[in-house]
Amino acid sequence: MNEPRMIPPRPRDRLYAVVTLVLAVLLLPAAFVRDPGRARELACRWALRMRFPAEDLTGLTEGALAAFTAARTRALWRHGRLIGLTSGYRDPHVQQRMFDEEVRRAGSPALARMLVLPPAESGHVRGVALDVRPHEGARWLEEHGARYHLYRIYDNEWWHFEHRPDSGGRPPRRLPHPGVGYAGERTDRL
């Protein structure tokens, strides 16, 4: 992942992954009874819901939700990696509040855009952006996400992916930060 420093894997993340995978295996018979064609997906969803109980997948577009579900199911079953959602869809008012807070913190809208976009420009408001965790899950998604049209979009945010099915299977050009390309940006300072 093109980032200034690598975040080393934490031993507890590996332990959580193993425990979650064991839980998914134990839930597999019940999932098979419920829906034989989607048993692995269901068992994965149930196990990940226990691992990430505060996760909220509502508001994502149908395509983003299906892509994320398929990717995290494969990550768990094939590679033993967990992918949790820290933030997905955001209400425009929440996004505006986040942007306003960042403007106050950073001192200007241009600097705030380096981390948070206003609602009209945010993939979170459109329901296509996913902030994922842990770092190992994001690393897996960066390596395998193109299969699901999930791409890391910004160099400065290892956690931020977007569902981009219109990219033709090719990753969109990664930007240094969210505010690149918007009016008023001073690229000579970046």
Side-chain angles (χ1 to χ4, degrees), residues 6-18 51-52 81-82 133-137 139 158:
M6 292 296 279
I7 298 172
R10 298 178 305 187
R12 73 177 188 188
D13 288 337
R14 189 68 196 136
L15 176 63
Y16 288 147
V18 169
R51 169 62 189 101
F52 302 114
R81 296 281 185 237
L82 300 184
R133 64 180 169 164
H135 193 264
E136 288 298 312
R139 186 173 288 136
W158 59 261

Side-chain angles (χ1 to χ4, degrees), residues 19-179:
V19 169
T20 304
L21 182 56
V22 168
L23 186 57
V25 169
L26 293 173
L27 291 167
L28 197 54
F32 186 78
V33 169
R34 180 117 184 240
D35 188 345
R38 294 181 40 227
R40 286 178 156 235
E41 177 188 320
L42 283 176
C44 178
R45 183 179 350 144
W46 295 339
L48 287 171
R49 190 177 297 148
M50 288 182 221
R51 169 62 189 101
F52 302 114
E55 188 174 76
D56 184 3
L57 302 175
T58 59
L60 293 174
T61 65
E62 188 176 312
L65 179 59
F68 183 62
T69 299
R72 70 195 310 209
T73 299
R74 184 174 180 89
L76 181 67
W77 288 110
R78 297 282 292 232
H79 302 274
R81 296 281 185 237
L82 300 184
I83 303 176
L85 187 69
T86 309
S87 181
Y89 169 77
R90 291 187 196 136
D91 178 89
H93 299 293
V94 170
Q95 187 72 23
Q96 185 65 53
R97 186 172 51 249
M98 290 174 69
F99 181 71
D100 293 343
E101 288 171 7
E102 190 59 28
V103 169
R104 277 191 292 283
R105 191 193 70 69
S108 75
L111 290 174
R113 286 174 185 276
M114 292 181 78
L115 291 175
V116 181
L117 291 173
E121 301 162 15
S122 172
H124 287 286
V125 173
R126 291 191 317 272
V128 298
L130 308 157
D131 290 347
V132 302
R133 64 180 169 164
H135 193 264
E136 288 298 312
R139 186 173 288 136
W140 184 95
L141 197 55
E142 186 170 350
E143 186 178 332
H144 301 280
R147 164 183 269 174
Y148 308 96
H149 305 289
L150 296 170
Y151 303 99
R152 183 171 161 208
I153 302 299
Y154 308 119
D155 286 334
N156 72 328
E157 296 184 355
W158 59 261
W159 58 86
H160 184 94
F161 291 79
E162 292 187 12
H163 183 240
R164 300 271 183 97
D166 55 345
S167 69
R170 293 179 39 169
R173 190 179 122 251
R174 191 178 304 162
L175 303 172
H177 59 78

